[in-house]
Amino acid sequence: MATFLYRLGRWTFVRRRLVTFLWVAVLAAVGVLAAKAPAAPDDGFSMPGTEAQKAFDLMNERFPGGHADGASARLVFVAPSGQKITAAPNQQVVERTVDEVARSEQVTGAVNPFKMQGAVSADGTTAYATVNYSAKAGEVSKGATDALEQAAQHGRDAGLKVEIGGNALMAKPEAGGSSEAIGMALSAVVLVITFGSLVAAGLPLLTAVVGVGLGMALIAALGSTLGLSTTTGTLAMMLGLAVGIDYAVFIVSRYRAELSEGRTPQEAAGRAVGTAGSAVVFAGLTVVIALAGLSVVGIPILAKMGMAAAGTVVIAVLVALTLVPALLGFLGRKVLPRKARKARTDQGEASGGKENGGARWARFILRRPLAVLLGGVIGLGVLAAPALDLRLGLPGDESKPTSTTQRRAYDLLSEGFGPGFNGPLTVMVDAKGVADPKAAAAEVAKKVSGLPGVVAVTPPMFNPAGDTALLNAVPATGPSEAETKDIVHAIRGDAAGLKSATGATVLVSGTTAMNIDVSQKMSDALVPYLAVVVGLAVILLMVVFRSVLVPLKAALGFLLSVVAALGAVVAVFQWGWLADLIGVEQTGPVMSMMPIFMIGVVFGLAMDYEVFLVTRIREGFVHGEEPGEAIVTGFRHNARVVTAAAFIMIAVFAGFIGMSEPMIKMMGLGLAAAVAFDAFIVRMTVVPAVLALLGRRAWWLPRWLDRLIPDVDVEGSKLETAAPEPTQARESVTV
C-alpha cells in the first residue's frame, strides 16, 4: 500500500492543476445537484420492535385523521394570586385565548379546559388546554407558532400567567454554524502554533472545508432518494470537519519532515502520502467501521446518521490523499516557517535525533513505565467512577432552561397537577374481535387505576369503529423517575392476564413509555455493538501493526477513555458538578443514545491517534531500532502533531458546549472529554508505558497468523528500496 500511495502522492503533486480542477468541478457539480434536489421528507424518530412504537403505529391505523404523530401544545393558565381560574373573568380570558388558537393554521383541535374532565387543578388555580396540530414536531409553520405565542401573550395582557408546553414550539435542529466557526477559529490558532506558518495552518482548514462541503452537498442531493433528513447531516458535519483537519495535518506534517531531511518537494509529497497517507487510510477505515456499525442498533435515524458520517469520512480520506499533495505542489517549501526556508531545514521537525518535548516525555515513561501505567489507569478509573450511577432517558421540557416557556409550563403543571402529569402513559386497548369492547376497556381501566403509583386514569376513548380504546394513566412521579418505569413494567406485566380475562390486547405507549423503551433498546444493543465494532477494528489493526497485543491494548485503552468520559457526563449533567460553569440549569438522566453514540464516534477517533502514533513507532522498530528507541523516535516525530490534532478535535467538539440545547451540550462535553482522555492519558501515556513493558513481545505474531495476514506495509519499509523517478523540470517549485 505504501508504494501505491507513494506513487499517487508524486502523481498528484505533478498533476496538481488537473487534480485541483477535478475536485473543484466535482464540488460545483454536486452543489448544483444539491440546490436542485427536493427536500428530504422527515422520517421521524421510530423505534422498530418496541411496544411503544407498535402501539403508536396501531394508533395511526385505528384512529384515522387523528394525527397521532402530529405536534401538540399545552397552554397552561394560572390565575393571579388569591384568585381562581374558574372565576368568570378569568374563565372568559382562557376561553377567548383557546378560541384564538383554534382558528390558527395547522390546528386540528383546541380543547376548552372547562369542557374537559381533569383539566382544572383541584385547588382551582391552574388549568390547561391541549392544542393539536396536523404537522409533526419541528415542522409546525412559523405562522402557527406565532399565532400560538401571540394568543398566549394576549392571555398575559389580560392578567393571567400563561405558558406553553409540548413540542409544537420545537424548532428544527440548526446547523450550528456558530459552533463550527468557534471550532475553526480555535483550530486555526492551534495549527499556527504547531506549524509556525500561516500557509501550513491554512491548508488543512481549506481542505477540511472542501471535504465537509462535498459531504453535506451529497447528503442534500441524495436526501430525497435515501431519506437523509437535515438531522442526518449533523454528525457528518461535526466529524467531517474534525477528521478532515486531522488527516490533512498528518500529511502536511510528514511532508515538512521529509523536506527537512533534504528531499525534493515532489519526493517529500510522495513519501508523506506513502507513510502518513497509509496511516490515514487505516485510521479512516476504523472510523468508518465504528460509524457504519451504528446500523446494528436498530434505530433507523441513528443508522442513517452513521452511514452519512461514514461517507463524509471517506471523502476526508480521499481529500487528504489527493487534494492535499496537489495543493502542496503549489506551495512547495512555503509550508515551512520563513527561517526554515532560508536555511532549507526545519529544526523543529528535523529527524536528526535532536530531543524535543515528545522525545523527552517518551524517555521519562521509559524510565518508570509501570508507575506511569498504574497512574494513568487509576486516574481514568477515578474519572469513570460516576458512570456506575448512569441513568438513561430522553430529557424533555424539564431539562430546558428556566428562561424558556416550555420549562415554565412544565413546572406549573407539576405544581398544579403533580409531577406525573407531565408524563402520562397512553394505554391502548385493542379489542378488535372482542364481544364487548367497552367492558374490556373498563376492566383495563380498573386494573390500571389500582396499581401502586397511579393517581388518575381517564375514561376510555374509542375510535370510530369502536374496537380500540385509549386511556391515559397519570403516575405520581415524574417522567424520568424510576418509579414511573416500574409502573410501565407493571402494566405490561398484567397485559397477559388481562388478555386472558377480556380477550383484548393491552399496549403502553406515549412519550414516557417510548423513552423507557429507547433506553432499554440502547442498553440491549450495547454489547452486540461493541462486539461488532471492536472485533472488526482489532482485526484491521492486526493487519496494520502485524501484532496481536497492540490491537488488544488499543481496544482496552479505548474502553477506559470512553467510560471515563461517561463518568464526566454523569458528574456534570446528572449530579450537577460544575453545571453552572457550562450553563446546565437542570440535572437529569443522560440521553439514552449517548453511550452508543460516544462509543461509535470516540472509538473511531481513538484509533486515529493509535494508528498515527504507533505506526511511527513500528516504523522505527521495523527499520532496526530497539523497542525503547523506536518509542522515542515515534514520539519525537508524531507526539507534537498528535497533540495538535487532539486539541483541534477538542476545540471542534467543545464549541457545541455553548449551545442552549441540553442534548447538544451533552454531546459536546462528552466527545471533548473523551478525546482529551484518550489522546493525552491513553495514547500519550498508557500506550508507550505498555509498549515499554512488553518490549519486543509487543510485535509478536504467531507464524500461522503471519502467513494469513496480508502485508500492507503501512510503515513504508519498501519505500527505502524504491528508486524515485527522475525529477522533471515541471517538478521544480519556486521558493
Side-chain angles (χ1 to χ4, degrees):
M1 172 174 286
T3 304
F4 168 76
L5 293 178
Y6 165 77
R7 292 171 179 165
L8 177 65
R10 287 173 61 91
W11 184 85
T12 55
F13 185 95
V14 174
R15 303 290 183 181
R16 48 190 173 270
R17 290 181 177 81
L18 173 62
V19 172
T20 305
F21 170 77
L22 289 175
W23 274 107
V24 172
V26 169
L27 181 60
V30 175
V32 170
L33 291 176
K36 294 183 177 181
D42 185 4
D43 51 5
F45 183 84
S46 61
M47 288 292 297
T50 63
E51 180 173 317
Q53 185 65 48
K54 181 181 178 181
F56 183 80
D57 295 339
L58 190 61
M59 199 183 306
N60 280 326
E61 176 187 333
R62 300 287 177 84
F63 290 82
H67 300 286
D69 57 349
S72 64
R74 273 181 173 176
L75 278 168
V76 185
F77 303 90
V78 178
S81 178
Q83 298 184 27
K84 301 287 187 181
I85 199 69
T86 52
N90 294 333
Q91 183 171 338
Q92 290 175 4
V93 174
V94 171
E95 292 176 339
R96 188 164 60 245
T97 303
V98 174
D99 288 343
E100 181 180 348
V101 173
R103 293 193 299 269
S104 61
E105 57 185 275
Q106 295 185 319
V107 173
T108 59
V111 183
N112 186 330
F114 303 108
K115 296 180 180 179
M116 185 173 68
Q117 183 179 359
V120 179
S121 64
D123 61 5
T125 62
T126 308
Y128 74 91
T130 301
V131 183
N132 295 315
Y133 291 85
S134 58
K136 296 180 181 179
E139 296 183 355
V140 179
S141 67
K142 188 176 185 305
T145 57
D146 287 347
L148 179 62
E149 292 173 333
Q150 187 176 25
Q153 187 59 48
H154 290 163
R156 297 186 190 108
D157 294 340
L160 300 183
K161 182 184 292 185
V162 185
E163 302 296 346
I164 307 170
N167 57 17
L169 295 181
M170 181 188 299
K172 279 192 175 183
E174 297 180 358
S178 60
S179 300
E180 275 79 17
I182 293 171
M184 289 285 283
L186 293 175
S187 300
V189 173
V190 173
L191 289 172
V192 170
I193 294 173
T194 302
F195 288 140
S197 165
L198 290 175
V199 173
L203 193 151
L205 296 176
L206 173 62
T207 54
V209 169
V210 171
V212 170
L214 180 56
M216 298 305 293
L218 276 172
I219 291 173
L222 300 175
S224 59
T225 304
L226 303 180
L228 304 177
S229 63
T230 53
T231 307
T232 307
T234 304
L235 179 60
M237 178 177 292
M238 185 189 298
L239 269 184
L241 183 62
V243 302
I245 295 174
D246 274 8
Y247 294 166
V249 164
F250 283 107
I251 299 289
V252 173
S253 177
R254 189 60 185 255
Y255 173 76
R256 283 158 51 104
E258 297 293 338
L259 284 179
S260 72
E261 294 181 358
R263 292 189 172 91
T264 64
Q266 181 186 341
E267 180 67 11
R271 287 181 175 269
V273 176
T275 53
S278 297
V280 165
V281 169
F282 283 96
L285 279 175
T286 59
V287 181
V288 168
I289 288 173
L291 293 171
L294 290 172
S295 302
V296 306
V297 178
I299 300 177
I301 184 62
L302 198 58
K304 290 178 182 180
M305 287 178 69
M307 295 305 295
T312 306
V313 172
V314 171
I315 293 172
V317 171
L318 295 176
V319 167
L321 298 180
T322 56
L323 183 58
V324 169
L327 295 179
L328 288 174
F330 291 106
L331 299 175
R333 297 183 184 276
K334 292 178 182 177
V335 297
L336 298 173
R338 184 172 301 175
K339 184 184 295 184
R341 293 205 302 270
K342 291 180 179 178
R344 293 295 175 108
T345 181
D346 184 356
Q347 297 299 330
E349 293 182 350
S351 58
K354 180 178 178 180
E355 295 290 289
N356 58 18
R360 287 192 293 272
W361 175 249
R363 293 197 187 280
F364 167 79
I365 294 175
L366 287 173
R367 287 194 295 271
R368 45 185 68 80
L370 184 59
V372 170
L373 174 61
L374 291 176
V377 172
I378 292 173
L380 287 173
V382 171
L383 291 168
L388 295 173
D389 189 39
L390 176 67
R391 290 188 296 111
L392 298 179
L394 289 181
D397 287 347
E398 75 277 10
S399 65
K400 294 183 181 298
T402 53
S403 59
T404 63
T405 186
Q406 294 97 322
R407 171 61 188 279
R408 293 195 295 268
Y410 180 96
D411 291 341
L412 291 175
L413 286 172
S414 295
E415 293 169 8
F417 298 89
F421 195 80
N422 282 294
L425 306 175
T426 302
V427 180
M428 170 175 278
V429 182
D430 180 7
K432 191 171 185 178
V434 176
D436 191 350
K438 290 186 177 180
E443 179 63 26
V444 172
K446 179 181 177 181
K447 182 69 174 179
V448 172
S449 63
L451 291 174
V454 176
V455 297
V457 175
T458 61
M461 180 185 70
F462 280 87
N463 64 335
D467 59 5
T468 306
L470 294 178
L471 53 92
N472 287 330
V474 180
T477 50
S480 60
E481 299 297 328
E483 292 82 357
T484 304
K485 181 178 179 180
D486 293 339
I487 294 173
V488 172
H489 291 324
I491 297 173
R492 289 173 174 172
D494 290 337
L498 287 169
K499 184 173 180 62
S500 299
T502 65
T505 301
V506 178
L507 302 172
V508 184
S509 188
T511 303
T512 301
M514 179 66 82
N515 291 351
I516 292 171
D517 287 351
V518 168
S519 300
Q520 187 61 51
K521 187 160 188 173
M522 290 294 178
S523 299
D524 294 342
L526 190 58
V527 173
Y529 177 66
L530 271 175
V532 171
V533 172
V534 175
L536 289 175
V538 166
I539 294 172
L540 181 65
L541 292 178
M542 281 186 184
V543 175
V544 175
F545 298 127
R546 307 197 66 77
S547 164
V548 173
L549 298 179
V550 171
L552 293 176
K553 174 264 307 170
L556 291 174
F558 151 74
L559 291 175
L560 278 174
S561 59
V562 78
V563 174
L566 280 174
V569 170
V570 169
V572 174
F573 289 91
Q574 195 172 302
W575 292 359
W577 293 5
L578 303 177
D580 293 339
L581 186 63
I582 64 171
V584 178
E585 297 191 26
Q586 179 67 36
T587 60
V590 173
M591 183 176 62
S592 299
M593 288 187 287
M594 195 68 188
I596 279 185
F597 182 81
M598 282 183 60
I599 288 171
V601 175
V602 177
F603 183 78
L605 301 181
M607 295 305 103
D608 272 6
Y609 300 129
E610 178 77 14
V611 170
F612 286 125
L613 190 60
V614 180
T615 49
R616 197 64 191 257
I617 295 173
R618 176 169 172 77
E619 184 177 336
F621 179 76
V622 169
H623 291 167
E625 295 182 359
E626 289 298 316
E629 280 305 308
I631 294 172
V632 174
T633 298
F635 270 70
R636 179 185 299 118
H637 287 289
N638 274 10
R640 185 182 184 188
V641 72
V642 167
T643 300
F647 274 123
I648 289 169
M649 203 75 81
I650 292 168
V652 171
F653 293 143
F656 290 86
I657 297 176
M659 297 187 71
S660 59
E661 182 62 35
M663 286 190 289
I664 302 298
K665 190 187 292 286
M666 187 182 297
M667 287 168 51
L669 176 69
L671 293 177
V675 171
F677 296 155
D678 195 87
F680 299 123
I681 300 180
V682 175
R683 307 304 152 190
M684 302 291 287
T685 304
V686 173
V687 165
V690 172
L691 292 177
L693 290 170
L694 291 175
R696 291 182 176 273
R697 293 187 297 273
W699 311 109
W700 170 77
L701 187 68
R703 291 183 179 179
W704 64 269
L705 190 56
D706 184 52
R707 291 192 296 268
L708 292 176
I709 294 178
D711 185 4
V712 294
D713 189 29
V714 174
E715 62 277 355
S717 59
K718 296 178 182 178
L719 296 183
E720 297 300 319
T721 58
E725 300 173 6
T727 303
Q728 304 296 326
R730 62 183 173 182
E731 299 170 15
S732 62
V733 179
T734 302
V735 179

